[in-house]
Amino acid sequence: AGNGATAIELTPATNLRTKMSKIERKQKALEREHQEEVHQREKEERKGKLPPSFLPPLPFFGSDVVFVGHVVPDVDSIASAVGAAHLWNGTALRAGHLNAETRYVLERWGITPPAHVRESYAGQPFVLVDHNAFEQRSKLLQGDQIRGILDHHALSEEPTSVPQPVFVDIRPWGSCSSVVATKFLEHDVWIPSPLAGLLLSGVVSDTLNLRSPTATRWDSKLLHWLARRV
């Protein structure tokens, strides 16, 4: 460096620690902001400025539930499974091989790829994400263990049959990631930055960056909501 200053070269480990420290500070700041928003809403509800939120509670799927997308997993399918597994404290699995785009997105956000159903499914209760058609469902899943469906596609002519009433949430939106992200928003659940990035990627991928005919204004709003949490 000029003027007699001594240049200090950071080692890769120091660079990584510095980067992680910045990420942790940003994450804590965002979490504080989220908690302040929740407290402010509760305060305004008590004062009568806002109507109380009469949302039903999140359904209980079981303590060992798994979330599985269709047999040709894309970014939206994997993001939905990972997001739902985090929200319901379950496990995300995949029903097929990951394509290059999905592998890149998982690596970009530092998220471990879900294990394959073939390797990790042992008869647990399951929830389908990003599909409802029987032909798109992994046949390794035990049909009588289905507990729910989260999707954004039209109901198939041959949907997955269910032996009992289950929780079904199918929205006419551009991505299943939008459906899962909305659950975080509705129930004021804190969403970690990498998961926000993964769900954001699911929305962008399935709506072709909001240019798809299936993209809606709600997808656009959720995209901005997620972007503020990355």
Side-chain angles (χ1 to χ4, degrees):
N3 302 324
T6 303
I8 300 176
E9 182 178 352
L10 297 178
T11 64
T14 303
N15 275 325
L16 179 59
R17 284 195 298 270
T18 301
K19 184 177 180 181
M20 291 303 296
S21 178
K22 289 181 179 178
I23 292 174
E24 289 172 359
R25 287 198 299 271
K26 180 181 177 182
Q27 184 82 350
K28 289 178 180 178
L30 287 172
E31 187 168 359
R32 284 195 300 270
E33 179 184 334
H34 172 74
Q35 291 302 326
E36 288 171 1
E37 290 176 357
V38 172
H39 292 156
Q40 183 62 30
R41 178 176 178 85
E42 291 173 347
K43 186 185 299 182
E44 291 179 350
E45 285 180 357
R46 286 195 296 270
K47 291 180 179 179
K49 294 181 179 180
L50 287 175
S53 299
F54 290 112
L55 286 173
L58 285 169
F60 178 69
F61 293 130
S63 57
D64 57 348
V65 65
V66 298
F67 295 84
V68 189
H70 45 75
V71 293
V72 187
D74 54 12
V75 176
D76 188 37
S77 174
I78 295 298
S80 301
V82 173
H86 181 89
L87 182 61
W88 273 281
N89 196 28
T91 302
L93 296 179
R94 58 185 172 88
H97 297 294
L98 299 177
N99 60 29
E101 180 189 20
T102 306
R103 289 197 303 271
Y104 169 80
V105 167
L106 289 168
E107 183 179 354
R108 167 64 181 82
W109 298 114
I111 294 176
T112 303
H116 197 287
V117 172
R118 185 183 301 108
E119 302 161 353
S120 300
Y121 181 71
Q124 305 100 309
F126 67 89
V127 174
L128 300 179
V129 299
D130 200 30
H131 71 296
N132 63 78
F134 176 75
E135 66 178 13
Q136 293 183 320
R137 195 193 88 192
S138 170
K139 303 310 180 287
L140 297 174
L141 300 171
Q142 295 180 9
D144 61 347
Q145 291 299 312
I146 186 169
R147 294 295 183 270
I149 297 173
L150 302 172
D151 196 12
H152 70 115
H153 297 98
L155 193 63
S156 170
E157 291 183 0
E158 295 184 9
T160 291
S161 61
V162 295
Q164 59 197 6
V166 299
F167 179 81
V168 176
D169 194 348
I170 300 177
R171 310 282 183 110
W173 298 339
S175 74
C176 192
S177 292
S178 299
V179 179
V180 174
T182 297
K183 295 299 180 187
F184 283 88
L185 178 59
E186 287 178 339
H187 295 275
D188 284 326
V189 178
W190 168 249
I191 183 168
S193 179
L195 182 54
L198 181 62
L199 288 170
L200 180 151
S201 300
V203 177
V204 169
S205 177
D206 238 36
T207 65
L208 304 179
N209 201 19
L210 299 178
R211 292 186 175 89
S212 167
T214 61
T216 67
R217 292 182 64 184
W218 184 244
D219 293 303
S220 177
K221 288 184 177 181
L222 273 180
L223 198 61
H224 288 85
W225 181 79
L226 289 166
R228 292 195 299 271
R229 282 149 181 81
V230 172

